[in-house]
Amino acid sequence: MKKLAELYRGKAKTVYTTDNPDLLVLEFRNDTSAFDGQRIEQLDRKGMVNNKFNYFIMSQLRAAGIPTQVEKLLSDTEVLVKKLDMVPVECVVRNRAAGSLVRRLGVEEGYIFNSPTFELFLKNDALHDPMVNDYHCKAFGWATDEQLAKMKELSFKINTVLSELFAKAGLILVDFKLEFGLYKGEITLGDEFSPDNCRLWEKETLKKMDKDRFRQSLGGVIEAYEEVAKRIGVPL
Ligand SMILES: Nc1ncnc2c1ncn2[C@@H]1O[C@H](COP(=O)(O)OP(=O)(O)O)[C@@H](O)[C@H]1O
Ligand SMILES: [Mg+2]
C-alpha cells in the first residue's frame, strides 16, 4: 500500500488516497477544535493518542459484529481504512444529559434518561450542525429509510458494547457522536471514536475525561485521554 495525494484536510484529521481505490489513510493531527472550528489549538500527543484509541475501539466493535472502516494501524498517527461514501449526517446517542441537549431542553447536566436517545445532526460547520430528522434525510437524499434504520440499530448496539467496556474501567459513557458511510452498499462505521467525540465521566467523582476539558478550559486534556486509554487497555 502506497500513500498518495491529500484528499481532504479536516479540523482534526487529514485524509489521503492510496494506490488502492477502495482504501484511504486517515492521519490524526494534534489540532484540537471546538465550537465548530472557531477555536483551534495544538495539543501534544493528541494525534497519536486518538489514532490508537480509535483503532482499539473500532477493533472491539468489529469483534462485536459492527461493520467498521478499520483495516490496519499504520503508524502512531495513521490508520488504513475503507473508503466510505459518507452519509453527511452525524448520529448522536445519549445516556445522560450534557452539552447542547442541556441548553435545548433545559434539563440539568447529568440527568439520567429512562432510555438512551438518538439524534441526527447535519454535518455543516457554517450552519453549526443543525439538528435534523428522518424526513429531512429522506427529502434531501442524505440517507434512505433503510440506511437510517441500520444506522440507528448500529448506534444503539455500539452504545451497549461501549457502555459496558467503559463501565468496567470505572467510566460513564455519557454520550457520543458517530459518522457512518457506505462501503459496497453496506452501512459501515467511519471517522473516529475517541475522547474528542464522546463524553466520559469518572464514575466515582464525575470528573470529565473528554474534550469538554478543552471546551471548558479545565486543563489536563491529553492527560485525561491517556488515563482513559490506560484504563481500557489501549496500548499507547
Ligand atoms: N472511512 C472514511 N472514508 C471517507 N471519508 C471519511 C472516512 N472516515 C472519515 N471520513 C471523513 O474524513 C474527514 C475526517 O477529518 P475531520 O478532521 O474529522 O474532518 P471534519 O473537520 O470535516 O470533521 C471527515 O469529513 C469525515 O467525514
Ligand atoms: Mg470530524
Side-chain angles (χ1 to χ4, degrees):
M1 192 285 305
K2 248 176 84 187
K3 188 166 145 183
L4 299 176
E6 182 177 314
L7 186 65
Y8 175 75
R9 188 181 164 90
K11 295 185 294 296
K13 302 184 287 301
T14 309
V15 184
Y16 297 90
T17 57
T18 69
D19 53 3
N20 182 334
D22 289 334
L23 302 177
L24 297 172
V25 171
L26 297 184
E27 184 205 356
F28 287 70
R29 308 193 314 271
N30 287 341
D31 294 274
T32 313
S33 72
F35 315 115
D36 305 310
Q38 285 179 55
R39 179 168 154 223
I40 297 176
E41 280 172 38
Q42 297 278 313
L43 293 181
D44 263 2
R45 308 194 297 286
K46 198 192 71 138
M48 182 269 291
V49 173
N50 277 3
N51 181 41
K52 294 183 175 176
F53 197 107
N54 174 61
Y55 182 76
F56 178 86
I57 294 287
M58 291 229 176
S59 302
Q60 299 285 315
L61 292 176
R62 189 175 48 186
I66 307 281
T68 83
Q69 65 180 355
V70 154
E71 288 282 314
K72 190 172 179 243
L73 194 64
L74 295 176
S75 71
D76 275 2
T77 56
E78 296 164 303
V79 63
L80 186 67
V81 298
K82 294 185 173 76
K83 179 181 181 160
L84 309 184
D85 186 6
M86 298 303 288
V87 175
V89 169
E90 304 183 338
C91 298
V92 172
V93 175
R94 303 176 188 270
N95 296 302
R96 292 188 182 218
S100 66
L101 183 133
V102 166
R103 296 185 288 277
R104 200 169 62 232
L105 298 183
V107 288
E108 211 173 309
E109 182 180 69
Y111 176 84
I112 304 172
F113 305 130
N114 292 333
S115 53
T117 66
F118 180 80
E119 299 164 344
L120 297 164
F121 296 89
L122 178 65
K123 210 174 138 56
N124 186 319
D125 284 331
L127 296 178
H128 308 292
D129 292 355
M131 194 184 215
V132 295
N133 67 26
D134 307 38
Y135 290 92
H136 297 112
C137 292
K138 197 173 170 178
F140 287 98
W142 299 324
T144 65
D145 282 342
E146 197 194 0
Q147 289 163 352
L148 274 175
K150 192 75 200 173
M151 286 158 61
K152 191 189 282 190
E153 178 201 319
L154 293 175
S155 295
F156 282 127
K157 188 165 175 193
I158 290 167
N159 188 41
T160 303
V161 173
L162 296 185
S163 289
E164 193 190 324
L165 183 148
F166 288 116
K168 281 185 184 153
L171 298 159
I172 300 166
L173 181 59
V174 173
D175 59 28
F176 57 91
K177 181 269 290 180
L178 303 170
E179 292 182 28
F180 292 96
L182 287 167
Y183 184 75
K184 302 185 189 222
E186 188 189 15
I187 286 289
T188 303
L189 179 64
D191 202 51
E192 70 177 276
F193 190 103
S194 76
D196 264 11
N197 30 58
C198 69
R199 288 192 174 88
L200 291 163
W201 296 350
E202 205 168 51
K203 201 172 164 189
E204 301 305 324
T205 62
L206 298 185
K207 182 184 170 190
K208 293 178 171 150
M209 306 294 284
D210 53 68
K211 201 162 87 171
D212 271 349
R213 299 201 72 78
F214 177 73
R215 295 188 190 96
Q216 300 170 10
S217 303
L218 298 173
V221 181
I222 295 312
E223 290 76 8
Y225 288 25
E226 287 169 331
E227 170 66 21
V228 174
K230 191 175 111 190
R231 286 202 203 175
I232 63 172
V234 180
L236 291 185

